[in-house]
Amino acid sequence: MTEIASPCILVCSIDMKTGYCFGCGRTRDEIAGWMNYTPQERAEIMDGLEARLATVERKPRRETRRRRLARERGGDIAAASMPDGAADR
């Protein structure tokens, strides 16, 4: 079986402003139809992903589990607002 190239990095969350995935830069429609695209169509999409990713906010709007738990416990707000894992270093 032939491997299908994919830009997916398993960070599947869509930026509501741009409509692009925070992880790969594709739109929902592109993600859903990826398996049906020809190798040429996938390559054309992948060529534009770097420019797309430069336009997303880079922060998913979803609250992470770590932040939610800190908020619910009334914990350290500074640690809760740091990127995931930063407070653990």
Side-chain angles (χ1 to χ4, degrees):
M1 188 187 274
T2 305
E3 185 176 323
I4 295 177
S6 174
C8 183
I9 61 168
L10 303 176
V11 177
C12 304
S13 183
I14 303 295
D15 177 29
M16 299 309 287
K17 281 187 176 180
T18 63
Y20 300 139
C21 174
F22 287 102
C24 69
R26 294 178 293 171
T27 65
R28 290 178 193 266
D29 289 340
E30 289 168 344
I31 293 167
W34 196 251
M35 298 299 285
N36 298 321
Y37 291 138
T38 65
Q40 178 62 33
E41 290 171 321
R42 287 192 293 270
E44 289 172 8
I45 292 168
M46 289 175 69
D47 286 344
L49 296 180
E50 187 174 338
R52 289 182 184 184
L53 286 170
T55 67
V56 299
E57 292 180 2
R58 293 284 183 197
K59 294 180 185 174
R61 294 176 188 239
R62 253 189 264 174
E63 183 177 41
T64 64
R65 182 172 184 269
R66 178 187 310 263
R67 289 185 187 146
R68 180 180 54 81
L69 290 172
R71 179 179 47 80
E72 289 173 355
R73 292 183 199 147
D76 183 358
I77 301 302
S81 66
M82 295 177 123
D84 287 340
D88 299 335
R89 293 183 198 139

